[in-house]
Amino acid sequence: ETGVTQSPTHLIKTRGQQVTLRCSSQSGHNTVSWYQQALGQGPQFIFQYYREEENGRGNFPPRFSGLQFPNYSSELNVNALELDDSALYLCASSSRGDLAKNIQYFGAGTRLSVL
Amino acid sequence: DQQVKQNSPSLSVQEGRISILNCDYTNSMFDYFLWYKKYPAEGPTFLISISSIKDKNEDGRFTVFLNKSAKHLSLHIVPSQPGDSAVYFCAASARGGSGNTGKLIFGQGTTLQVKP
């Protein structure tokens, strides 16, 4: 059973550019959540997708958007990158049973640097 | 507004002794609390959780205590082992209208070092 995988592992962009981060959910998981972890901070909830629909959103502007595909993999898109978007982006997947216990399984993350 | 706080950025203990990691929260709507462990270059890994209807949950060497009146929880690791050295995050969740939202609110993390 493969776990949650994210790509790329590292990315460097310049201010104003757009970026797409990818996540493959753990087998059997139909819910995916994205988190942003700034240096020295805990992860912050961006949004969650369930069956290809957004199912909850944190306090992030609309330039943060996402997609979930029929195979439950997911993308996080960020437009008009700002310096403060530099962070580790974590994807987490879960089944509905896991979610009932609030358990999410995290990938290793994508480290985004905005210059 | 930091709803979940871990006020100790780091903790160092001797192997075999008890490690106690603390977490405070402000939102009385939180009904589920979790601890995650994170090694470098890996994603956070679920460790143990507790529902707000309980005050203690134990799993092997790990025990989580919840004091609702003080809005405080703690994770006890006994005995501590060098492999426990990692960053520990406290997280909380509030039930939404249609069940668990899956939105976890994390603290800033505490780096635990267990010395051999």
Side-chain angles (χ1 to χ4, degrees):
Chain A
E1 179 182 282
T2 55
V4 179
T5 57
Q6 294 186 240
S7 61
T9 54
H10 294 85
L11 203 50
I12 300 175
K13 291 285 189 178
T14 56
R15 194 170 46 182
Q17 284 189 311
Q18 178 266 342
V19 69
T20 298
L21 310 181
R22 294 180 174 81
C23 172
S24 292
S25 303
Q26 188 166 318
S27 177
H29 289 182
N30 55 15
T31 302
V32 63
S33 304
W34 285 91
Y35 292 81
Q36 179 196 66
Q37 186 181 5
L39 203 60
Q41 300 297 316
Q44 263 196 295
F45 177 78
I46 303 175
F47 43 55
Q48 180 184 92
Y49 278 82
Y50 171 62
R51 290 187 176 178
E52 303 174 57
E53 298 277 336
E54 188 178 290
N55 185 42
R57 190 179 182 92
N59 190 24
F60 280 81
R63 59 189 186 83
F64 285 78
S65 63
L67 280 174
Q68 188 182 31
F69 301 99
N71 66 355
Y72 304 130
S73 65
S74 176
E75 285 182 356
L76 164 65
N77 298 290
V78 187
N79 293 322
L81 283 167
E82 300 177 0
L83 298 179
D84 284 350
D85 296 333
S86 295
L88 179 67
Y89 288 85
L90 294 163
C91 170
S93 73
S94 47
S95 64
R96 292 314 271 182
D98 293 324
L99 214 54
K101 295 176 284 187
N102 286 281
I103 297 173
Q104 299 179 25
Y105 297 87
F106 285 82
T110 294
R111 172 73 62 188
L112 173 65
S113 299
V114 181
L115 306 178
Chain B
D1 177 28
Q2 192 75 29
Q3 297 185 68
V4 178
K5 293 183 183 179
Q6 294 175 255
N7 292 316
S8 298
S10 62
L11 174 68
S12 181
V13 301
Q14 207 66 37
E15 181 179 5
R17 306 296 290 267
I18 185 171
S19 295
I20 300 177
L21 296 98
N22 294 302
C23 178
D24 297 297
Y25 63 96
T26 57
N27 190 341
S28 57
M29 298 301 291
F30 288 146
D31 61 355
Y32 222 87
F33 303 90
L34 305 92
W35 286 92
Y36 277 81
K37 179 170 71 173
K38 187 179 187 300
Y39 293 119
E42 295 184 14
T45 304
F46 170 74
L47 192 57
I48 192 170
S49 63
I50 188 168
S51 164
S52 61
I53 63 173
K54 297 186 175 182
D55 55 19
K56 177 182 175 181
N57 188 27
E58 193 172 351
D59 183 2
R61 296 186 297 114
F62 303 91
T63 304
V64 56
F65 295 93
L66 174 62
N67 183 334
K68 283 182 63 178
S69 60
K71 292 191 174 68
H72 177 84
L73 66 154
S74 60
L75 173 68
H76 293 209
I77 306 173
V78 184
S80 301
Q81 299 172 354
D84 296 330
S85 298
V87 179
Y88 288 78
F89 290 101
C90 168
S93 179
R95 181 175 290 273
S98 57
N100 286 330
T101 63
K103 175 182 177 181
L104 294 177
I105 309 296
F106 283 87
Q108 307 96 308
T110 296
T111 301
L112 172 66
Q113 183 185 26
V114 180
K115 297 179 179 177

